[in-house]
Amino acid sequence: MDRNLSMELVRVTEAAALAAGRWLGRGKKEEADAAATQAMRNMFNSIQMKGTVVIGEGEMDEAPMLYIGEQLGTCDGPEVDIAVDPLEGTNIVAAGSSNALVIIAVAERGHLLHAPDMYMEKIAVGPEAAGKIDINAPVIENLRAVAKAKNKNIEDLVVAILDRERHEKMIHEIRQSGARIKLMQDGDVAAAINTAFDNTGVDIMLGSGGAPEGVIAAAALKSLGGDFQGKLIQQTEEEKIRLNKMGISDFNKVLLMDDIVKGDDAYFVATGVTDGELLRGVLYKENIGTTHSVVMRAKTGTIRFIEGQHSLNQKR
């Protein structure tokens, strides 16, 4: 993939963030998501590439745009898989809370797991603890391994986990270990990425969440030198059929980083919509919108933080 693609992709996330940010705290999550999705699609179609959405807003009959299988780009240029979350944290924006992001992951055609819209058990860590985790191990063993890798006491660790009833047992085990917890209302992609940056204070992410978000998080952590493991959680007969179509008959199969994001090249791009530990949210003043983004490439290990100022009176 062309290295110039990274700057094209950040234009996409910036446009979507500028559109979604207008809905901050207004209690209208669908409107915020629709605004981000429309802006993202329009900008995607100006990029020289043959893109196929493998993770999007839903199936073709469920989503008016950015549906799974949709073709994006000008149809000339590199053939790529695209995973998108036009607004990671629709509830966050509606409530005016922290850590809402616009997110894209891109890899060569056939290199991203086509994860169905179902739950995935996840574990994510940054570079220091890469190779030290095991999703099948007890919580305490993973905490001990991460603490040792990061030269910390377990009591010093911060575990990010979604605040859900299904996580009550895991939360109890974490508290019993002495580790600290950061409960999230939404946004486990941001939590997974935060494990790779010391200034966020997050050491490990645990728990279950959306499988599509797991693929996007894995693409980011591959670029950051971190580690991610997942297990798809089959709950219905329909999900069982979908997994079989993917060639997955062992429902306890552990998906490692290279199972989820194949090869050595992938891009991850995110722009903040609301303030978070890693990225600042969109600001508006007069006719200027300010954005804060991160762009990563797995092949080179390059990480760029970009602050953009955009005229709101002109088309981008």
Side-chain angles (χ1 to χ4, degrees), residues 249-274:
S249 56
D250 177 7
F251 301 137
N252 290 313
K253 177 181 174 62
V254 175
L255 298 170
L256 303 176
M257 184 84 80
D258 289 338
D259 297 317
I260 301 172
V261 185
K262 299 176 183 176
D264 65 351
D265 203 6
Y267 283 106
F268 173 86
V269 184
T271 299
V273 180
T274 65

PDB file of all heavy atoms in Angstrom, residues 249-274:
ATOM      1  N   SER A 249     -15.255 -23.796  12.957  1.00  0.00           N
ATOM      2  CA  SER A 249     -16.125 -24.809  13.561  1.00  0.00           C
ATOM      3  C   SER A 249     -15.788 -25.003  15.039  1.00  0.00           C
ATOM      4  O   SER A 249     -16.614 -25.496  15.809  1.00  0.00           O
ATOM      5  CB  SER A 249     -15.991 -26.141  12.816  1.00  0.00           C
ATOM      6  OG  SER A 249     -14.638 -26.569  12.787  1.00  0.00           O
ATOM      7  N   ASP A 250     -14.570 -24.622  15.400  1.00  0.00           N
ATOM      8  CA  ASP A 250     -14.149 -24.689  16.804  1.00  0.00           C
ATOM      9  C   ASP A 250     -14.473 -23.345  17.448  1.00  0.00           C
ATOM     10  O   ASP A 250     -13.761 -22.365  17.268  1.00  0.00           O
ATOM     11  CB  ASP A 250     -12.655 -24.976  16.896  1.00  0.00           C
ATOM     12  CG  ASP A 250     -12.137 -24.986  18.337  1.00  0.00           C
ATOM     13  OD1 ASP A 250     -12.967 -24.893  19.273  1.00  0.00           O
ATOM     14  OD2 ASP A 250     -10.910 -25.079  18.522  1.00  0.00           O
ATOM     15  N   PHE A 251     -15.568 -23.316  18.207  1.00  0.00           N
ATOM     16  CA  PHE A 251     -16.028 -22.052  18.770  1.00  0.00           C
ATOM     17  C   PHE A 251     -15.176 -21.578  19.944  1.00  0.00           C
ATOM     18  O   PHE A 251     -15.379 -20.481  20.457  1.00  0.00           O
ATOM     19  CB  PHE A 251     -17.497 -22.162  19.180  1.00  0.00           C
ATOM     20  CG  PHE A 251     -18.398 -22.528  18.040  1.00  0.00           C
ATOM     21  CD1 PHE A 251     -19.394 -23.467  18.207  1.00  0.00           C
ATOM     22  CD2 PHE A 251     -18.226 -21.947  16.792  1.00  0.00           C
ATOM     23  CE1 PHE A 251     -20.224 -23.810  17.139  1.00  0.00           C
ATOM     24  CE2 PHE A 251     -19.039 -22.282  15.722  1.00  0.00           C
ATOM     25  CZ  PHE A 251     -20.044 -23.220  15.891  1.00  0.00           C
ATOM     26  N   ASN A 252     -14.238 -22.398  20.363  1.00  0.00           N
ATOM     27  CA  ASN A 252     -13.301 -21.991  21.413  1.00  0.00           C
ATOM     28  C   ASN A 252     -11.959 -21.561  20.838  1.00  0.00           C
ATOM     29  O   ASN A 252     -11.010 -21.334  21.583  1.00  0.00           O
ATOM     30  CB  ASN A 252     -13.098 -23.131  22.414  1.00  0.00           C
ATOM     31  CG  ASN A 252     -14.336 -23.381  23.252  1.00  0.00           C
ATOM     32  OD1 ASN A 252     -14.936 -22.451  23.768  1.00  0.00           O
ATOM     33  ND2 ASN A 252     -14.732 -24.645  23.368  1.00  0.00           N
ATOM     34  N   LYS A 253     -11.888 -21.470  19.514  1.00  0.00           N
ATOM     35  CA  LYS A 253     -10.637 -21.104  18.849  1.00  0.00           C
ATOM     36  C   LYS A 253     -10.162 -19.733  19.303  1.00  0.00           C
ATOM     37  O   LYS A 253     -10.931 -18.770  19.317  1.00  0.00           O
ATOM     38  CB  LYS A 253     -10.822 -21.101  17.332  1.00  0.00           C
ATOM     39  CG  LYS A 253      -9.593 -20.655  16.550  1.00  0.00           C
ATOM     40  CD  LYS A 253      -9.882 -20.663  15.056  1.00  0.00           C
ATOM     41  CE  LYS A 253      -8.715 -20.074  14.256  1.00  0.00           C
ATOM     42  NZ  LYS A 253      -7.470 -20.852  14.405  1.00  0.00           N
ATOM     43  N   VAL A 254      -8.893 -19.660  19.680  1.00  0.00           N
ATOM     44  CA  VAL A 254      -8.284 -18.390  20.045  1.00  0.00           C
ATOM     45  C   VAL A 254      -7.763 -17.715  18.783  1.00  0.00           C
ATOM     46  O   VAL A 254      -6.985 -18.300  18.031  1.00  0.00           O
ATOM     47  CB  VAL A 254      -7.138 -18.589  21.053  1.00  0.00           C
ATOM     48  CG1 VAL A 254      -6.442 -17.257  21.332  1.00  0.00           C
ATOM     49  CG2 VAL A 254      -7.655 -19.199  22.341  1.00  0.00           C
ATOM     50  N   LEU A 255      -8.226 -16.507  18.550  1.00  0.00           N
ATOM     51  CA  LEU A 255      -7.768 -15.728  17.406  1.00  0.00           C
ATOM     52  C   LEU A 255      -6.615 -14.839  17.848  1.00  0.00           C
ATOM     53  O   LEU A 255      -6.782 -13.938  18.669  1.00  0.00           O
ATOM     54  CB  LEU A 255      -8.916 -14.871  16.865  1.00  0.00           C
ATOM     55  CG  LEU A 255     -10.135 -15.650  16.348  1.00  0.00           C
ATOM     56  CD1 LEU A 255     -11.293 -14.702  16.072  1.00  0.00           C
ATOM     57  CD2 LEU A 255      -9.784 -16.451  15.106  1.00  0.00           C
ATOM     58  N   LEU A 256      -5.447 -15.130  17.304  1.00  0.00           N
ATOM     59  CA  LEU A 256      -4.263 -14.343  17.620  1.00  0.00           C
ATOM     60  C   LEU A 256      -4.177 -13.143  16.677  1.00  0.00           C
ATOM     61  O   LEU A 256      -4.951 -13.021  15.718  1.00  0.00           O
ATOM     62  CB  LEU A 256      -3.014 -15.212  17.507  1.00  0.00           C
ATOM     63  CG  LEU A 256      -3.000 -16.477  18.386  1.00  0.00           C
ATOM     64  CD1 LEU A 256      -1.752 -17.295  18.112  1.00  0.00           C
ATOM     65  CD2 LEU A 256      -3.108 -16.121  19.855  1.00  0.00           C
ATOM     66  N   MET A 257      -3.221 -12.281  16.951  1.00  0.00           N
ATOM     67  CA  MET A 257      -3.074 -11.061  16.164  1.00  0.00           C
ATOM     68  C   MET A 257      -3.009 -11.362  14.665  1.00  0.00           C
ATOM     69  O   MET A 257      -3.704 -10.731  13.856  1.00  0.00           O
ATOM     70  CB  MET A 257      -1.810 -10.318  16.600  1.00  0.00           C
ATOM     71  CG  MET A 257      -1.613  -8.996  15.921  1.00  0.00           C
ATOM     72  SD  MET A 257      -2.529  -7.676  16.715  1.00  0.00           S
ATOM     73  CE  MET A 257      -1.433  -7.316  18.077  1.00  0.00           C
ATOM     74  N   ASP A 258      -2.196 -12.354  14.272  1.00  0.00           N
ATOM     75  CA  ASP A 258      -2.025 -12.646  12.849  1.00  0.00           C
ATOM     76  C   ASP A 258      -3.219 -13.355  12.241  1.00  0.00           C
ATOM     77  O   ASP A 258      -3.317 -13.444  11.011  1.00  0.00           O
ATOM     78  CB  ASP A 258      -0.752 -13.466  12.627  1.00  0.00           C
ATOM     79  CG  ASP A 258       0.513 -12.644  12.841  1.00  0.00           C
ATOM     80  OD1 ASP A 258       0.427 -11.409  12.748  1.00  0.00           O
ATOM     81  OD2 ASP A 258       1.577 -13.234  13.093  1.00  0.00           O
ATOM     82  N   ASP A 259      -4.107 -13.895  13.069  1.00  0.00           N
ATOM     83  CA  ASP A 259      -5.362 -14.442  12.553  1.00  0.00           C
ATOM     84  C   ASP A 259      -6.337 -13.332  12.214  1.00  0.00           C
ATOM     85  O   ASP A 259      -7.183 -13.478  11.319  1.00  0.00           O
ATOM     86  CB  ASP A 259      -6.016 -15.371  13.596  1.00  0.00           C
ATOM     87  CG  ASP A 259      -5.185 -16.582  13.929  1.00  0.00           C
ATOM     88  OD1 ASP A 259      -4.629 -17.184  12.990  1.00  0.00           O
ATOM     89  OD2 ASP A 259      -5.087 -16.922  15.124  1.00  0.00           O
ATOM     90  N   ILE A 260      -6.247 -12.240  12.938  1.00  0.00           N
ATOM     91  CA  ILE A 260      -7.202 -11.142  12.791  1.00  0.00           C
ATOM     92  C   ILE A 260      -6.727 -10.128  11.760  1.00  0.00           C
ATOM     93  O   ILE A 260      -7.516  -9.640  10.941  1.00  0.00           O
ATOM     94  CB  ILE A 260      -7.418 -10.456  14.157  1.00  0.00           C
ATOM     95  CG1 ILE A 260      -7.957 -11.473  15.177  1.00  0.00           C
ATOM     96  CG2 ILE A 260      -8.382  -9.279  14.031  1.00  0.00           C
ATOM     97  CD1 ILE A 260      -8.022 -10.958  16.589  1.00  0.00           C
ATOM     98  N   VAL A 261      -5.427  -9.821  11.798  1.00  0.00           N
ATOM     99  CA  VAL A 261      -4.825  -8.888  10.832  1.00  0.00           C
ATOM    100  C   VAL A 261      -3.617  -9.590  10.228  1.00  0.00           C
ATOM    101  O   VAL A 261      -2.552  -9.660  10.849  1.00  0.00           O
ATOM    102  CB  VAL A 261      -4.398  -7.564  11.499  1.00  0.00           C
ATOM    103  CG1 VAL A 261      -3.892  -6.581  10.450  1.00  0.00           C
ATOM    104  CG2 VAL A 261      -5.544  -6.955  12.282  1.00  0.00           C
ATOM    105  N   LYS A 262      -3.776 -10.125   9.035  1.00  0.00           N
ATOM    106  CA  LYS A 262      -2.708 -10.887   8.399  1.00  0.00           C
ATOM    107  C   LYS A 262      -1.674  -9.956   7.774  1.00  0.00           C
ATOM    108  O   LYS A 262      -1.941  -8.795   7.497  1.00  0.00           O
ATOM    109  CB  LYS A 262      -3.303 -11.812   7.332  1.00  0.00           C
ATOM    110  CG  LYS A 262      -4.288 -12.834   7.868  1.00  0.00           C
ATOM    111  CD  LYS A 262      -4.912 -13.639   6.743  1.00  0.00           C
ATOM    112  CE  LYS A 262      -5.940 -14.614   7.292  1.00  0.00           C
ATOM    113  NZ  LYS A 262      -6.630 -15.355   6.207  1.00  0.00           N
ATOM    114  N   GLY A 263      -0.482 -10.533   7.539  1.00  0.00           N
ATOM    115  CA  GLY A 263       0.557  -9.770   6.875  1.00  0.00           C
ATOM    116  C   GLY A 263       1.205  -8.753   7.796  1.00  0.00           C
ATOM    117  O   GLY A 263       0.931  -8.691   8.992  1.00  0.00           O
ATOM    118  N   ASP A 264       2.079  -7.942   7.207  1.00  0.00           N
ATOM    119  CA  ASP A 264       2.846  -6.988   8.018  1.00  0.00           C
ATOM    120  C   ASP A 264       2.462  -5.543   7.749  1.00  0.00           C
ATOM    121  O   ASP A 264       3.117  -4.623   8.221  1.00  0.00           O
ATOM    122  CB  ASP A 264       4.355  -7.166   7.771  1.00  0.00           C
ATOM    123  CG  ASP A 264       4.766  -6.820   6.339  1.00  0.00           C
ATOM    124  OD1 ASP A 264       3.870  -6.611   5.485  1.00  0.00           O
ATOM    125  OD2 ASP A 264       5.981  -6.766   6.073  1.00  0.00           O
ATOM    126  N   ASP A 265       1.381  -5.339   6.977  1.00  0.00           N
ATOM    127  CA  ASP A 265       1.041  -3.960   6.634  1.00  0.00           C
ATOM    128  C   ASP A 265      -0.426  -3.685   6.924  1.00  0.00           C
ATOM    129  O   ASP A 265      -1.317  -4.391   6.436  1.00  0.00           O
ATOM    130  CB  ASP A 265       1.333  -3.677   5.165  1.00  0.00           C
ATOM    131  CG  ASP A 265       1.533  -2.189   4.901  1.00  0.00           C
ATOM    132  OD1 ASP A 265       1.554  -1.413   5.884  1.00  0.00           O
ATOM    133  OD2 ASP A 265       1.687  -1.802   3.726  1.00  0.00           O
ATOM    134  N   ALA A 266      -0.661  -2.687   7.719  1.00  0.00           N
ATOM    135  CA  ALA A 266      -2.016  -2.234   8.029  1.00  0.00           C
ATOM    136  C   ALA A 266      -1.937  -0.793   8.495  1.00  0.00           C
ATOM    137  O   ALA A 266      -0.935  -0.378   9.089  1.00  0.00           O
ATOM    138  CB  ALA A 266      -2.654  -3.110   9.101  1.00  0.00           C
ATOM    139  N   TYR A 267      -2.977  -0.048   8.222  1.00  0.00           N
ATOM    140  CA  TYR A 267      -3.102   1.312   8.722  1.00  0.00           C
ATOM    141  C   TYR A 267      -4.203   1.368   9.771  1.00  0.00           C
ATOM    142  O   TYR A 267      -5.229   0.690   9.658  1.00  0.00           O
ATOM    143  CB  TYR A 267      -3.484   2.286   7.597  1.00  0.00           C
ATOM    144  CG  TYR A 267      -2.369   2.669   6.670  1.00  0.00           C
ATOM    145  CD1 TYR A 267      -2.297   2.150   5.376  1.00  0.00           C
ATOM    146  CD2 TYR A 267      -1.380   3.573   7.062  1.00  0.00           C
ATOM    147  CE1 TYR A 267      -1.275   2.511   4.512  1.00  0.00           C
ATOM    148  CE2 TYR A 267      -0.361   3.939   6.211  1.00  0.00           C
ATOM    149  CZ  TYR A 267      -0.313   3.408   4.933  1.00  0.00           C
ATOM    150  OH  TYR A 267       0.696   3.767   4.082  1.00  0.00           O
ATOM    151  N   PHE A 268      -3.994   2.190  10.780  1.00  0.00           N
ATOM    152  CA  PHE A 268      -5.049   2.516  11.734  1.00  0.00           C
ATOM    153  C   PHE A 268      -5.070   4.031  11.859  1.00  0.00           C
ATOM    154  O   PHE A 268      -4.028   4.667  12.066  1.00  0.00           O
ATOM    155  CB  PHE A 268      -4.782   1.890  13.105  1.00  0.00           C
ATOM    156  CG  PHE A 268      -5.768   2.335  14.157  1.00  0.00           C
ATOM    157  CD1 PHE A 268      -6.970   1.683  14.314  1.00  0.00           C
ATOM    158  CD2 PHE A 268      -5.501   3.443  14.959  1.00  0.00           C
ATOM    159  CE1 PHE A 268      -7.901   2.104  15.263  1.00  0.00           C
ATOM    160  CE2 PHE A 268      -6.411   3.871  15.910  1.00  0.00           C
ATOM    161  CZ  PHE A 268      -7.617   3.200  16.057  1.00  0.00           C
ATOM    162  N   VAL A 269      -6.267   4.603  11.751  1.00  0.00           N
ATOM    163  CA  VAL A 269      -6.417   6.053  11.832  1.00  0.00           C
ATOM    164  C   VAL A 269      -7.597   6.367  12.727  1.00  0.00           C
ATOM    165  O   VAL A 269      -8.654   5.741  12.627  1.00  0.00           O
ATOM    166  CB  VAL A 269      -6.660   6.674  10.434  1.00  0.00           C
ATOM    167  CG1 VAL A 269      -6.709   8.189  10.527  1.00  0.00           C
ATOM    168  CG2 VAL A 269      -5.588   6.240   9.448  1.00  0.00           C
ATOM    169  N   ALA A 270      -7.432   7.320  13.628  1.00  0.00           N
ATOM    170  CA  ALA A 270      -8.528   7.739  14.508  1.00  0.00           C
ATOM    171  C   ALA A 270      -8.466   9.245  14.717  1.00  0.00           C
ATOM    172  O   ALA A 270      -7.384   9.833  14.806  1.00  0.00           O
ATOM    173  CB  ALA A 270      -8.447   7.026  15.848  1.00  0.00           C
ATOM    174  N   THR A 271      -9.638   9.856  14.820  1.00  0.00           N
ATOM    175  CA  THR A 271      -9.763  11.266  15.170  1.00  0.00           C
ATOM    176  C   THR A 271     -10.693  11.380  16.363  1.00  0.00           C
ATOM    177  O   THR A 271     -11.747  10.735  16.400  1.00  0.00           O
ATOM    178  CB  THR A 271     -10.313  12.088  13.987  1.00  0.00           C
ATOM    179  OG1 THR A 271      -9.410  11.995  12.885  1.00  0.00           O
ATOM    180  CG2 THR A 271     -10.482  13.549  14.370  1.00  0.00           C
ATOM    181  N   GLY A 272     -10.318  12.183  17.336  1.00  0.00           N
ATOM    182  CA  GLY A 272     -11.147  12.368  18.511  1.00  0.00           C
ATOM    183  C   GLY A 272     -12.389  13.188  18.206  1.00  0.00           C
ATOM    184  O   GLY A 272     -12.320  14.195  17.498  1.00  0.00           O
ATOM    185  N   VAL A 273     -13.515  12.747  18.744  1.00  0.00           N
ATOM    186  CA  VAL A 273     -14.750  13.532  18.671  1.00  0.00           C
ATOM    187  C   VAL A 273     -14.979  14.237  19.999  1.00  0.00           C
ATOM    188  O   VAL A 273     -15.319  15.409  20.056  1.00  0.00           O
ATOM    189  CB  VAL A 273     -15.961  12.651  18.308  1.00  0.00           C
ATOM    190  CG1 VAL A 273     -17.241  13.490  18.230  1.00  0.00           C
ATOM    191  CG2 VAL A 273     -15.721  11.932  16.985  1.00  0.00           C
ATOM    192  N   THR A 274     -14.764  13.496  21.098  1.00  0.00           N
ATOM    193  CA  THR A 274     -14.785  14.096  22.433  1.00  0.00           C
ATOM    194  C   THR A 274     -13.434  13.848  23.085  1.00  0.00           C
ATOM    195  O   THR A 274     -12.687  12.952  22.682  1.00  0.00           O
ATOM    196  CB  THR A 274     -15.912  13.496  23.302  1.00  0.00           C
ATOM    197  OG1 THR A 274     -15.639  12.108  23.548  1.00  0.00           O
ATOM    198  CG2 THR A 274     -17.260  13.628  22.628  1.00  0.00           C
TER     199      THR A 274
END
